Amino acid sequence: MDAGVADAALEVINGSRADEARDAIAERIATGRWRAGQRLPSERRLSAALGVSRVTVRKALATLVEDGVVEVAHGRGWFVAAEAASDEPNVLLSFTAMAHARGLTPTATVRAHVVREATIDEAEQLRIAPGAHVLELERVRLLNGIPVALDRNVVPIAHCPDLADADFTIASLYAILRDEAGLIPSSADTTVEAAEAGDAIAELLDVSPTSPVLITTQTTYDQHGRALDASRITYRGDRHRFHARLTVART
């Protein structure tokens, strides 16, 4: 192999590992394992825990400093930034996990919790047979008692029959799928659009009908690449924001 090609390939591999390490550290912060202001483990310990070199760990941490998630105190180490959870890092997290990362209490008002047959469109999106049974779950999501989102999920009930009896006023859908069925949300196809709330959403989220909302439509996949659920979440524009890290495509 040409030396230049080999170097380029190595650069891609190292960059991918740094991205994976960044996401792993960010997820631990977002889920509350490491709290705001807390000192992170040493580079040596992070290197061992993540299975990457210390150079890769330093690259990952440097990226998180740019994102405002981590702060560095020279001579003292790396620390979780005080406002680490104000913008979500680019990792797939449940509403409940994001709430806990912000130090907020998530609850829900359940509007629908039924097992029914999938429509043709839902079956196509979830890659199941038309008429297969799904759980339809619709909740108004609250943070510290304030309504911030209307969340609708459709999940193949075959993934986890326990979903039919869960108390979703407090339970996390993804946590049940993980703990009871061993299914881990690992990737998602997501679209985001802005709109006006309209009368129905305005009443549920306690905003005016002309208030802006953010609507995410998402298909989430488990660690095996199977469609885990289809969701549509409508967020109050004044209570939620999205953060994305963009990179230039390699040519």
Side-chain angles (χ1 to χ4, degrees):
M1 179 183 295
D2 180 83
V5 174
D7 289 344
L10 182 60
E11 181 181 352
V12 170
I13 292 171
N14 289 339
S16 176
R17 288 174 177 168
D19 289 344
E20 291 174 0
R22 176 202 67 204
D23 289 349
I25 295 169
E27 182 176 15
R28 285 163 170 77
I29 293 171
T31 55
R33 180 171 176 178
W34 298 321
R35 300 286 184 177
Q38 181 179 345
R39 184 176 179 176
L40 295 178
S42 67
E43 292 177 4
R44 179 181 59 79
R45 290 180 61 190
L46 285 173
S47 174
L50 300 176
V52 297
S53 69
R54 291 181 63 177
V55 171
T56 298
V57 167
R58 281 194 289 272
K59 287 181 179 179
L61 291 169
T63 300
L64 291 171
V65 170
E66 294 175 3
D67 290 342
V69 177
V70 169
E71 297 174 346
V72 59
H74 295 291
R76 297 178 57 215
W78 306 86
F79 293 80
V80 180
E83 300 296 327
S86 61
D87 286 328
E88 295 81 57
N90 294 339
V91 293
L92 184 60
L93 295 173
S94 70
F95 182 93
T96 301
M98 286 192 290
H100 288 156
R102 298 179 182 183
L104 302 173
T105 301
T107 54
T109 300
V110 178
R111 290 174 44 81
H113 181 188
V114 297
V115 176
R116 58 167 176 79
E117 294 183 351
T119 66
I120 293 176
D121 288 342
E122 289 168 345
E124 182 178 358
Q125 185 175 6
L126 293 169
R127 303 174 188 173
I128 58 177
H133 286 93
V134 296
L135 173 78
E136 178 184 353
L137 177 63
E138 183 174 272
R139 296 166 287 175
V140 175
R141 311 301 297 268
L142 302 94
L143 294 176
N144 287 358
I146 299 174
V148 298
L150 176 65
D151 187 358
R152 180 179 181 271
N153 299 84
V154 177
V155 188
I157 198 65
H159 284 340
C160 182
D162 290 342
L163 294 175
D165 299 319
D167 178 7
F168 284 106
T169 60
I170 54 175
S172 165
L173 172 63
Y174 285 174
I176 293 175
L177 287 168
R178 180 191 66 229
D179 297 340
E180 301 299 328
L183 299 177
I184 302 171
S186 299
S187 63
D189 294 326
T190 305
T191 61
V192 182
E193 60 182 312
E196 284 191 353
D199 292 336
I201 297 296
E203 183 175 355
L204 293 172
L205 299 185
D206 194 23
V207 296
S208 72
T210 57
S211 294
V213 293
L214 291 172
I215 303 171
T216 67
T217 304
Q218 181 167 289
T219 304
T220 304
Y221 303 93
D222 67 15
Q223 71 270 35
H224 308 295
R226 298 176 301 183
L228 193 59
D229 85 312
S231 66
R232 177 184 173 90
I233 309 178
T234 303
Y235 295 97
R236 284 177 53 163
D238 63 340
R239 294 286 179 176
H240 203 86
R241 62 180 177 178
F242 290 90
H243 171 78
R245 180 178 177 80
L246 305 179
T247 59
V248 175
R250 293 181 180 273
T251 58

